[in-house]
Amino acid sequence: MLRFKLHYLVITCIVLALCGCSSSEKEARAGSAAKTDAAPVDSLIVELKGEAGKSVFEITQRDHAVDFIPSIAGNFVQAIDSIEINGNYGWMYSVNDAMGQVASDKYITNDGDIIKWHFRKF
């Protein structure tokens, strides 16, 4: 019986040790919370060149396979080259390193503009 109680006590201590957070784990969590203010990290970037009078969407669709949902606000890009949005990641575009503020079919580019599609965690 004493052996059973000793085993029970040891197992209980191990479980409590594994369930609790050490101070280093708490510090790591606090550090990761501070990192949320950092610039977003892209998993993939598709880069294109702007053309006078052409929209970001037109240029993208010409050079890549694009799945999208049309709406009153504009086309919502679902996938580029079969890389689809999911619960955590999605496609966003920038022109000359400024994030787009309108739908990609509404943004008209100029010659020399640098378009980037960012597959990024939201």
Side-chain angles (χ1 to χ4, degrees):
M1 184 71 166
L2 180 61
R3 189 174 180 183
F4 175 75
K5 287 182 179 179
L6 183 59
H7 282 128
Y8 181 76
L9 180 62
V10 170
I11 291 171
T12 303
C13 290
I14 291 171
V15 169
L16 289 174
L18 292 175
C19 291
C21 290
S22 68
S23 61
S24 62
E25 287 177 299
K26 289 178 184 175
E27 290 168 7
R29 288 183 184 167
S32 66
K35 291 179 185 175
T36 58
D37 294 336
V41 177
D42 296 324
S43 294
L44 177 67
I45 295 176
V46 174
E47 189 170 314
L48 303 161
K49 293 188 190 290
E51 296 177 28
K54 301 242 180 190
S55 72
V56 169
F57 183 80
E58 286 177 280
I59 295 167
T60 306
Q61 195 173 39
R62 180 192 67 210
D63 295 344
H64 297 273
V66 179
D67 293 333
F68 66 98
I69 297 172
S71 75
I72 293 172
N75 294 336
F76 179 74
V77 173
Q78 292 281 98
I80 297 176
D81 295 334
S82 298
I83 300 172
E84 298 178 348
I85 64 170
N86 60 48
N88 296 322
Y89 288 82
W91 288 104
M92 294 181 270
Y93 77 92
S94 66
V95 177
N96 301 325
D97 294 323
M99 296 307 290
Q101 300 297 312
V102 296
S104 61
D105 60 317
K106 307 290 186 204
Y107 192 106
I108 305 302
T109 65
N110 294 306
D111 289 334
D113 284 346
I114 303 297
I115 302 165
K116 292 180 185 173
W117 280 96
H118 309 265
F119 192 65
R120 178 176 288 177
K121 187 171 186 173
F122 292 120

